[in-house]
Amino acid sequence: MTSESKTVPPSMVDAMARLWAKFLPEIERRVASLEAAAGAMQDGSLTAEQQAVAHADAHKLAGSLGTFGLQRGTELAREGELMLADTATANDSAALESIVREIKDLIASRG
């Protein structure tokens, strides 16, 4: 692969920036869903429906964050997805909260 083929055309950079701006509110909503699930886990009020929604949101985040170059975000979202696939307990809440914080930091750094 030549260095020339690694260069991203400005039009592609602009297009990705527009897509990021368009999808950022939905990405943030999905992160909020994970954050709410972590809080509900902590106090023992996580419902099956809330867990299922958060699980689906984690799955969608895994794909969308990678699309925007946030590979670590994809890894974190997958961890959250796996955590939410099983019976989530209060013991899992701290780990999920940590995942959420790191994802938020990655999103903020993406600008």
Side-chain angles (χ1 to χ4, degrees):
M1 183 177 271
T2 67
S3 61
E4 192 173 313
S5 63
K6 291 182 182 180
T7 304
V8 178
S11 60
M12 181 63 83
V13 172
D14 291 343
M16 289 303 290
R18 284 191 307 275
L19 285 172
W20 175 254
K22 178 180 178 181
F23 288 103
L24 183 56
E26 184 62 21
I27 289 169
E28 290 173 332
R29 189 208 57 76
R30 289 179 177 145
V31 173
S33 169
L34 297 182
E35 189 169 36
M41 279 179 184
Q42 178 62 37
D43 66 23
S45 66
L46 183 68
T47 65
E49 180 181 351
Q50 185 180 23
Q51 183 172 345
V53 168
H55 177 262
D57 285 336
H59 177 79
K60 292 170 186 170
L61 276 171
S64 60
L65 293 174
T67 298
F68 291 107
L70 299 174
Q71 297 308 320
R72 177 66 181 146
T74 292
E75 294 166 8
L76 291 164
R78 283 188 183 141
E79 285 179 41
E81 180 184 7
L82 289 174
M83 190 178 300
L84 291 160
D86 295 325
T87 304
T89 66
N91 293 335
D92 296 321
S93 67
L96 188 56
E97 287 172 354
S98 177
I99 286 169
V100 168
R101 273 192 306 276
E102 194 170 344
I103 289 173
K104 283 181 165 184
D105 289 345
L106 289 168
I107 290 168
S109 73
R110 171 74 169 73

